[in-house]
Amino acid sequence: MGIFTRSVVSRKPNESMRLIVTAFVGVVFGFLIGLCFPKLSLTKFSLSASILTAIDFKYTEYTKLGPSSSTRVSHPVGNNGSSANVTLKKIWVPSNPRGAERLPPGIVRAESDLYLRRLWGKPSEDLTSKPKYLVTFTVGYDQRKNIDAAVKKFSGNFTILLFHYDGRTTEWDEFEWSKKAIHVSVRRQTKWWYAKRFLHPDIVATYDYIFIWDEDLGVEHFNAEEYIKLVRKHGLEISQPGLEPNKGLTWQMTKRRGDHEVHKETEEKPGWCNHPHVPPCAAFVEIMAPVFSRDAWRRVWHMIQNDLVHGWGLDFALRKCVEPAHEKIGVVDSQWIVHQSVPSLGNQGESLDGKAPWKGVRERCKKEWSIFQTRFSRAEKAYLKEINSTSH
């Protein structure tokens, strides 16, 4: 047994050496084989189109190319294995919308719409009509009767969109029109919060005019189609219906004038206007019932601040969105409404420090107005400073 053990031990160094030599020879042999054969490329294979589509093939090639590089390759065009030589160029279109530069322009759809579509049939046959206008109401279920009366003033040319701040949506199906309306529900939010998030200009681009209205408006003397005619006639980009003069008006500009179709300026209290063409004497409408043209809304949307949800201060800044503002902003007198001043949204607040919920909401509104004014002023000054520095 002792002899056998010593024999085994004596062979181990020899076996180890043979393993090392074998491994080294294998590595060298593999290296030489690699030098003798060119790199395999997917382009060397002629694959059936049923296995590799033209799009898949092009993508494989694109990953090897820079933005401006191109190569001549042969790829299958049919199941019979036939091929054609084409020059493939990586797509990069700077004029496409941001994020879509790698797509061919013909497939890009930068804008959408709010048209309701079927789940069956041909897409081209989905729409029997395309509404030209959009009206939105920010609502609570308690105001359903008022909203029902208001909606009936808008024809089939309007898409109806309800923003629900109280979370109650299904109950509205008691109204037949509600079953065809669009409902968005997020609790305790304002119409400007909704507008910033759900009314992006590229989403509502199909509509000529966008109405963004409160829920507490009396519309007995209002007709939407007639209103649109007057807006077009007088070239208004931003407008609102005149307000009943006996219902607690804040501004003279929005007061209805019985002897006018439309008015664009007014006289206010001494010292309120430093120029006859600036708010609140002109270029001014309130935020309770504004109406925007497509182009005007695109500019206004970008001005709305994400964190300032009440919209206070927007009315004084709307003139920055059209030119000349004192001609493009006005009040439609012959189609007028009544502001009922129902504090429904104020009641959605919370009682803090013993204050009523509506008081907290009102304080927030005033703070937002101050913040917005400060931001706008600073933004204008920063821009003008930059322009002046680059012009010298």
Side-chain angles (χ1 to χ4, degrees), residues 189-193 305-311 364 368:
Q189 299 302 322
T190 72
K191 72 175 181 180
W192 299 110
W193 184 93
Q305 306 292 288
N306 288 321
D307 58 332
L308 306 183
V309 297
H310 290 288
R364 167 74 179 249
E368 288 193 5

Side-chain angles (χ1 to χ4, degrees), residues 137 146 150 213-219 288-289 337-340:
F137 295 96
N146 201 57
W213 281 20
D214 288 355
E215 63 180 342
D216 59 342
L217 303 176
V219 293
M288 71 179 72
I337 59 175
V338 176
H339 187 206
Q340 299 168 342

Side-chain angles (χ1 to χ4, degrees), residues 160-174:
I160 308 297
L161 171 56
L162 300 188
F163 296 126
H164 299 269
Y165 61 75
D166 63 354
R168 301 177 68 179
T169 58
T170 55
E171 294 96 325
W172 287 81
D173 280 352
E174 67 183 84

Side-chain angles (χ1 to χ4, degrees), residues 260-302:
H260 285 66
E261 279 189 337
V262 165
H263 72 269
K264 300 179 181 180
E265 59 184 30
T266 192
E267 291 185 2
E268 265 292 357
K269 298 176 182 178
W272 279 28
C273 303
N274 56 24
H275 191 280
H277 288 168
V278 300
C281 291
F284 177 80
V285 296
E286 297 187 64
I287 59 174
M288 71 179 72
V291 180
F292 304 97
S293 70
R294 180 193 298 110
D295 292 339
W297 175 243
R298 182 170 292 275
R299 303 182 192 107
V300 171
W301 183 90
H302 283 89

Side-chain angles (χ1 to χ4, degrees), residues 191-205:
K191 72 175 181 180
W192 299 110
W193 184 93
Y194 289 111
K196 186 64 173 179
R197 288 151 183 83
F198 298 102
L199 299 181
H200 188 282
D202 289 342
I203 299 297
V204 299

Side-chain angles (χ1 to χ4, degrees), residues 249-267:
L249 291 173
T250 302
W251 310 104
Q252 289 297 313
M253 178 63 187
T254 55
K255 177 180 178 180
R256 179 179 72 92
R257 298 180 183 176
D259 56 345
H260 285 66
E261 279 189 337
V262 165
H263 72 269
K264 300 179 181 180
E265 59 184 30
T266 192
E267 291 185 2

Side-chain angles (χ1 to χ4, degrees), residues 93-130:
V93 186
S95 60
N96 276 357
R98 186 177 64 179
E101 294 89 352
R102 294 186 182 276
L103 298 176
I107 200 63
V108 174
R109 297 296 179 267
E111 298 175 348
S112 186
D113 57 62
L114 296 175
Y115 300 148
L116 303 181
R117 294 184 174 273
R118 305 176 302 177
L119 304 183
W120 64 93
K122 297 179 180 179
S124 60
E125 298 175 354
D126 282 348
L127 304 177
T128 57
S129 65
K130 294 182 179 181

